Amino acid sequence: MIERHLARLRLRHEISESDVALIRGAIAEVREIPAGRTLVEAGERLRVSTLVLDGLLCRYKDMKDGQRQIAELHVPGDFADLHSYTLKRLDHSILTLTPCRVAVVPHVELARITKASERLAYVYWFSTNLDAAIHREWVLSLGRRNALARMAALFCELQARLQVVALADQTGFALPLNQTQLAECLGLTSVHVNRVLKELRTRDLVTFRGGHVSIRDLAGLQRVAEFDPGYLYLERQPAD
Amino acid sequence: MIERHLARLRLRHEISESDVALIRGAIAEVREIPAGRTLVEAGERLRVSTLVLDGLLCRYKDMKDGQRQIAELHVPGDFADLHSYTLKRLDHSILTLTPCRVAVVPHVELARITKASERLAYVYWFSTNLDAAIHREWVLSLGRRNALARMAALFCELQARLQVVALADQTGFALPLNQTQLAECLGLTSVHVNRVLKELRTRDLVTFRGGHVSIRDLAGLQRVAEFDPGYLYLERQPAD
DNA sequence: CGCACTCTTGATGGTCATCAAGACGGGTGG
DNA sequence: CCACCCGTCTTGATGACCATCAAGAGTGCG
């Protein structure tokens, strides 16, 4: 059930069987949630964190006029709001973008298992720091990449992250979003996203259609994006 | 010496005297560093974290063509790279923007004190999550605010953060940056920053001159920025 | 079959980048 | 002491990128 989460953790860190048992024991409940459901409202007091088993979620913030900015996408294996364990309330909302299956992990359980295992405490701290690294890359994208490079960078990031949990390969992956949601990730309008997707298709780099990303030329896409996967920390972390 | 760091921590969390002693004991060295020095290169293996005692630092990433994006500013009392404790190497560089005085905290000491005190482990985890919250607000700024609102939001954020360490009040604060560096925070060019500053001055909201931000109308500035300090978690965190 | 949502494309305009040049100001050396 | 120099600031002119507005086509669903 938590295989994808374990795959994600074990890519970077050695995780013992006793730690796996602790994680399994921390899950209070598994829930199915339809698409478009706001799991967490910004500001509400939280007492559980949400582990994504299946589906896509996002963290987003809104402006008063209704403009939305998505700050991060969450794929299976991710905790969507592990940081709520220390923050108690969040500065953003969390929304399901597709139907999701999630595991609910109460904060009291997180307290228990991180006390029981220094290793898990460390690994989960790392995990929230990885979210921050992704945020920084998005800051770079929004601040300095043009629309085409931004889109390319998003596709490169998702390809790399989904590959970790065997949901992508070199040729593509499922991405059941519409162009408006892509725009909300990229700080663009859906109209411009449409034009950019056309340009990527024309350049024979990638095709986005029917919720599927078909990569024609991954190296070319990465070149357009100036993609450097370093920020995803995909390598085994030094034991030290 | 670490009064500002303690003020920052104690705003949000109760910190016992024994924890203070642990923090003090973790400092290996205090260094003075001139402005414009790259403290950390992206990718290098780190074994220490840096606590800012005095001065201003930033985390930044560069594009190949030399364009720079600053992802966060660090003020006295902040750890500039606490996250390197778990990440080992960083996805960004760290630069002094002014002459700085910093305390060097080896990762082995961080390991020691977070093992000795669950409370400190928790508080420092919170601290890195707060950095992530700031990143998210910058994502929102870069994605959805226009140049004027972005600048206003930056000033509001710095006013609030510097007030915590008694380096700002309602009327303003020192900000020894040039317009190019502001542009690197905001995803703009220095030329446009100049025009935006003029507009803010004309509207009688804020004056930036000679490295000092003079706030004429804080409420008005916050309105322009749609500033909501929630993401800075300035309130005492629930004990639970 | 009709409705709602999404996608697509064109036309127009605004925000911000780029290029260029002059002003200002602080520091240095002749 | 003043001339010079360099970094920074300032302003204008022009243009690119992306937003906005609008309308029609495609698609899935009740």
Side-chain angles (χ1 to χ4, degrees):
Chain A
M1 186 177 68
I2 59 169
E3 289 66 33
R4 286 186 178 130
H5 182 56
L6 294 178
R8 190 200 132 123
L9 296 183
R10 285 184 157 148
L11 176 71
R12 286 126 180 161
H13 297 100
E14 181 94 33
I15 307 288
S16 71
E17 282 309 316
S18 65
D19 282 346
V20 172
L22 283 172
I23 298 171
R24 285 193 208 283
I27 296 172
E29 182 192 356
V30 171
R31 295 174 56 198
E32 308 265 348
I33 305 165
R37 180 76 59 86
T38 298
L39 265 198
V40 173
E41 283 292 352
E44 81 181 90
R45 178 74 162 85
L46 297 177
R47 291 192 162 73
V48 302
S49 288
T50 301
L51 177 57
V52 186
L53 303 177
D54 250 311
L56 223 52
L57 293 91
C58 72
R59 307 181 179 180
Y60 72 90
K61 305 180 91 159
D62 285 329
M63 300 291 286
K64 281 188 193 132
D65 66 359
Q67 284 193 105
R68 172 165 298 181
Q69 180 63 44
I70 293 176
E72 191 173 1
L73 292 176
H74 286 295
V75 304
D78 292 356
F79 261 106
D81 58 354
L82 183 54
H83 54 318
S84 70
Y85 172 54
T86 66
L87 294 179
K88 308 296 191 198
R89 64 172 176 78
L90 296 183
D91 50 290
H92 58 84
S93 302
I94 295 186
L95 176 73
T96 57
L97 296 171
T98 68
C100 287
R101 207 161 54 89
V102 304
V104 176
V105 181
H107 289 168
V108 291
E109 291 297 310
L110 283 172
R112 184 174 65 76
I113 68 177
T114 55
K115 275 168 195 166
S117 166
E118 275 167 9
R119 180 67 173 169
L120 275 187
Y122 181 88
V123 164
Y124 281 140
W125 190 354
F126 174 97
S127 180
T128 60
N129 286 337
L130 178 55
D131 283 325
I134 292 171
H135 292 334
R136 284 190 290 274
E137 186 67 15
W138 285 38
V139 165
L140 177 65
S141 247
L142 292 165
R144 296 300 178 200
R145 280 195 254 252
N146 65 21
L148 192 79
R150 250 181 257 178
M151 181 70 85
L154 179 62
F155 286 156
C156 288
E157 172 180 317
L158 288 173
Q159 194 278 333
R161 290 173 59 192
L162 287 169
Q163 198 166 27
V164 170
V165 288
L167 291 171
D169 59 27
Q170 302 292 103
T171 71
F173 52 91
L175 185 68
L177 300 185
N178 62 32
Q179 297 181 359
T180 300
Q181 292 165 327
L182 285 178
E184 287 166 352
C185 292
L186 301 174
L188 301 169
T189 60
S190 61
V191 171
H192 201 66
V193 161
N194 184 279
R195 295 191 224 268
V196 165
L197 287 173
K198 184 178 171 182
E199 171 77 12
L200 287 171
R201 218 180 309 127
T202 307
R203 292 204 198 181
D204 251 328
L205 292 169
V206 63
T207 301
F208 177 74
R209 184 172 285 287
H212 193 90
V213 176
S214 304
I215 300 173
R216 307 287 308 277
D217 175 4
L218 183 55
L221 193 66
Q222 294 174 340
R223 216 172 311 116
V224 165
E226 281 188 34
F227 180 69
D228 172 355
Y231 76 96
L232 293 174
Y233 295 84
L234 296 171
E235 72 282 359
R236 175 59 61 114
Q237 293 300 112
D240 179 26
Chain B
M1 187 176 67
I2 60 168
E3 288 68 32
R4 287 186 178 131
H5 182 56
L6 294 177
R8 189 201 134 124
L9 296 184
R10 285 184 157 148
L11 176 71
R12 285 125 180 162
H13 296 102
E14 181 93 33
I15 308 288
S16 70
E17 281 309 316
S18 66
D19 283 344
V20 172
L22 283 171
I23 299 171
R24 285 192 208 284
I27 295 173
E29 182 192 356
V30 172
R31 294 175 54 199
E32 308 266 347
I33 304 166
R37 181 74 62 86
T38 297
L39 265 197
V40 173
E41 283 293 352
E44 80 180 273
R45 178 74 161 83
L46 297 177
R47 292 192 162 75
V48 302
S49 288
T50 301
L51 176 58
V52 186
L53 302 177
D54 249 310
L56 222 52
L57 294 90
C58 72
R59 306 180 180 182
Y60 72 90
K61 305 180 91 158
D62 285 329
M63 300 292 286
K64 280 188 195 136
D65 65 358
Q67 284 193 103
R68 173 166 297 182
Q69 179 64 44
I70 294 176
E72 191 173 1
L73 292 176
H74 286 294
V75 304
D78 292 356
F79 261 105
D81 57 354
L82 183 55
H83 54 318
S84 71
Y85 172 53
T86 66
L87 294 180
K88 309 296 191 196
R89 65 172 177 79
L90 296 183
D91 50 290
H92 59 83
S93 303
I94 296 186
L95 176 73
T96 57
L97 296 171
T98 68
C100 287
R101 208 161 53 89
V102 304
V104 175
V105 181
H107 290 168
V108 291
E109 292 297 310
L110 284 172
R112 185 174 63 77
I113 68 177
T114 54
K115 275 167 195 168
S117 165
E118 274 167 10
R119 179 68 173 169
L120 275 186
Y122 181 88
V123 164
Y124 281 139
W125 190 355
F126 174 96
S127 180
T128 58
N129 286 338
L130 177 55
D131 283 325
I134 292 171
H135 292 333
R136 283 190 290 274
E137 186 67 17
W138 285 37
V139 165
L140 177 65
S141 247
L142 291 165
R144 296 299 179 200
R145 281 194 253 252
N146 64 21
L148 193 79
R150 248 181 259 179
M151 181 71 84
L154 180 62
F155 286 156
C156 288
E157 173 180 317
L158 288 173
Q159 194 277 334
R161 290 173 59 192
L162 287 168
Q163 198 166 27
V164 170
V165 288
L167 291 172
D169 59 27
Q170 304 291 105
T171 71
F173 52 91
L175 186 66
L177 300 184
N178 62 32
Q179 296 181 358
T180 300
Q181 292 166 328
L182 284 178
E184 287 166 352
C185 292
L186 301 174
L188 301 170
T189 59
S190 60
V191 172
H192 202 64
V193 161
N194 184 279
R195 295 190 223 269
V196 164
L197 287 172
K198 184 178 172 184
E199 171 77 12
L200 287 171
R201 218 180 311 127
T202 307
R203 291 203 198 180
D204 252 326
L205 292 170
V206 62
T207 302
F208 177 75
R209 184 171 284 287
H212 193 91
V213 176
S214 303
I215 300 173
R216 307 288 308 276
D217 176 4
L218 184 56
L221 193 66
Q222 293 174 340
R223 218 173 309 116
V224 166
E226 283 189 33
F227 179 70
D228 172 355
Y231 76 96
L232 293 174
Y233 295 85
L234 295 170
E235 71 284 358
R236 176 56 63 115
Q237 294 298 112
D240 177 28

